[in-house]
Amino acid sequence: MNRETRLVKVSSPGKIILSGEHSVVYGEPAIVASIDKRLHLSLSGSRSDINVIPQNAEYFVRQAMILIKDYFGTPSHIGFNIEINSQIPIGCGMGSSAAFSVALSAAFFKLINQRLDLKKVNEIAYLIEKKHHGNPSGVDNTISTYGGLLWFRKESESFYTYSQIKLKRRLPRVFIFNTGKPEESTKEIVKTVADLYKKNPKKTGKIIKKMGIVTKDFLKYLMEEDDVILSQLIKDNEMLLEDLSVVSKDTEELIRRIEKIGGSAKISGAGGIKNGSGILLLYHPKPAKLMSFFRQKNIKIEEIKLGTKGVKVE
Ligand code: MEV
């Protein structure tokens, strides 16, 4: 089939950060899992322009395509129909934009009949993410590319390391609840932390280092190397995120109530300062207690599957 009629379909997963958001921007490790919510994207047809469904994604697609064509050195007149269907809520910390960047990069490889090179897909997706988020760590695009459960670390601007975590224990049941789309963008929240760092380097540096320690303890929990209690790790991570001022008052209050019934919760992703703080990762050693807590409030929480497949051609 030539490019004139080619239909390319790909999908890529969203993510949950189990430990280490924000500190990962400063070179500390993060543990991140792909989830069972995916973005589906199809490219088809031959046109000299780009037709986008849904239309409100058009700006994002065009910006990304400038970078992709530049990367491949392809003529600027290559066009197509593009259709995007996503199960990942936008701007809530679940990696919706990275899933898009990864899926579009992967689809373009197929469109121009090249073998899918995941390293390059991730590289291009990172360029797109940088265009939109200023100074991202690259954790979101990396998990969406490779999937699974990753230990990720940004060592320098252009060098990162990651490793699939081979679990020694079964992952616990975890749930999510969306506190609402933050008023601030990820870029703005990351900048708030950077400003805090500039204003108060000693205190902020200490918080970030402590986050790194919590993430290392989280790894020990997953590897069953130490007697670490998961609830405590999530609590500690959340407290440190609150110290960075990336969690709204309402969300903090809700989390305190979850802790009172023996559970724990943390924001996952950049957070949100004024109102919504995006998605919350919820854990309780007795999941029924968590479910009944939310049921009493008439709120539905969702169980989430971790460690799903990375980007794939459908
Ligand atoms: C990632 O989802 C959230 C932040 O850690 C930013 C980043 O790593 O690029 C806050």
Side-chain angles (χ1 to χ4, degrees):
M1 204 187 277
N2 63 24
R3 206 188 71 75
E4 304 307 305
T5 53
R6 196 174 178 84
L7 175 65
V8 180
K9 283 188 175 184
V10 299
S11 76
S12 53
K15 63 100 201 336
I16 285 283
I17 295 190
L18 296 176
S19 188
E21 50 276 272
H22 285 292
S23 50
V24 70
V25 175
Y26 299 91
E28 294 296 334
I31 297 177
V32 60
S34 51
I35 55 170
D36 53 349
K37 286 187 185 292
R38 299 184 78 83
L39 178 140
H40 296 264
L41 183 153
S42 62
L43 297 185
S44 65
S46 84
R47 313 166 53 101
S48 55
D49 60 347
I50 297 172
N51 178 42
V52 184
I53 300 172
Q55 251 186 0
N56 61 7
E58 187 171 329
Y59 176 76
F60 210 39
V61 171
R62 287 189 187 283
Q63 292 291 313
M65 279 315 299
I66 294 171
L67 292 168
I68 292 178
K69 284 180 182 170
D70 203 41
Y71 186 92
F72 283 97
T74 41
S76 58
H77 64 264
I78 282 190
F80 41 74
N81 297 307
I82 169 167
E83 194 168 339
I84 305 161
N85 282 300
S86 182
Q87 306 160 329
I88 312 164
I90 295 171
C92 292
M94 297 179 87
S96 61
S97 82
F100 160 77
S101 308
V102 166
L104 186 61
S105 310
F108 200 76
F109 266 87
K110 290 282 128 194
L111 190 79
I112 60 170
N113 277 320
Q114 279 200 21
R115 188 182 58 84
L116 196 61
D117 180 332
L118 289 185
K119 192 164 186 291
K120 285 186 179 163
V121 166
N122 197 26
E123 217 169 88
I124 302 166
Y126 186 46
L127 294 176
I128 302 171
E129 286 288 280
K130 277 209 272 197
K131 175 108 188 147
H132 286 99
H133 301 309
N135 180 32
S137 61
V139 66
D140 291 8
N141 46 281
T142 304
I143 188 66
S144 190
T145 302
Y146 297 104
L149 183 64
L150 289 186
W151 173 265
F152 175 91
R153 199 164 179 147
K154 178 184 177 180
E155 305 291 351
S156 78
E157 194 41 47
S158 53
F159 186 81
Y160 60 88
T161 53
Y162 72 88
S163 186
Q164 287 286 352
I165 301 173
K166 295 208 175 63
L167 288 172
K168 289 272 168 61
R169 63 162 77 229
R170 260 176 67 152
L171 275 174
R173 289 178 73 190
V174 287
F175 299 80
I176 53 167
F177 166 64
N178 196 345
T179 64
K181 191 168 181 235
E183 276 181 33
E184 310 82 8
S185 65
T186 297
K187 186 175 179 175
E188 285 163 345
I189 303 172
V190 168
K191 180 155 184 313
T192 303
V193 176
D195 291 344
L196 198 70
Y197 211 143
K198 259 189 225 142
K199 214 170 114 193
N200 206 337
K202 220 168 155 190
K203 188 172 164 219
T204 314
K206 255 190 192 162
I207 298 171
I208 284 166
K209 281 265 165 314
K210 279 189 191 164
M211 287 172 138
I213 294 169
V214 171
T215 303
K216 284 175 198 160
D217 284 343
F218 206 116
L219 184 69
K220 286 181 193 154
Y221 163 80
L222 295 172
M223 305 307 279
E224 270 194 327
E225 278 174 11
D226 224 336
D227 227 0
V228 215
I229 298 163
L230 180 58
S231 286
Q232 195 58 46
L233 292 175
I234 297 175
K235 254 189 227 172
D236 290 350
N237 197 165
E238 170 61 25
M239 288 317 297
L240 293 163
L241 287 159
E242 291 178 19
D243 289 346
L244 287 182
S245 308
V246 295
V247 188
S248 76
K249 285 282 156 273
D250 284 355
T251 305
E252 286 184 11
E253 274 168 27
L254 174 66
I255 293 175
R256 292 300 89 78
R257 274 183 277 146
I258 295 168
E259 288 168 354
K260 267 201 185 127
I261 59 144
S264 56
K266 66 178 273 292
I267 58 153
S268 177
I273 301 162
K274 281 196 202 117
N275 287 310
S277 296
I279 219 79
L280 283 188
L281 175 70
L282 310 169
Y283 170 73
H284 197 298
K286 295 191 173 119
K289 287 209 168 169
L290 200 60
M291 287 188 248
S292 105
F293 172 83
F294 277 96
R295 203 178 308 117
Q296 278 162 22
K297 299 184 182 325
N298 246 328
I299 296 173
K300 221 177 142 246
I301 57 172
E302 233 181 298
E303 185 161 5
I304 197 100
K305 194 172 159 227
L306 306 176
T308 57
K309 249 187 120 44
V311 66
K312 62 177 183 199
V313 177
E314 303 279 351

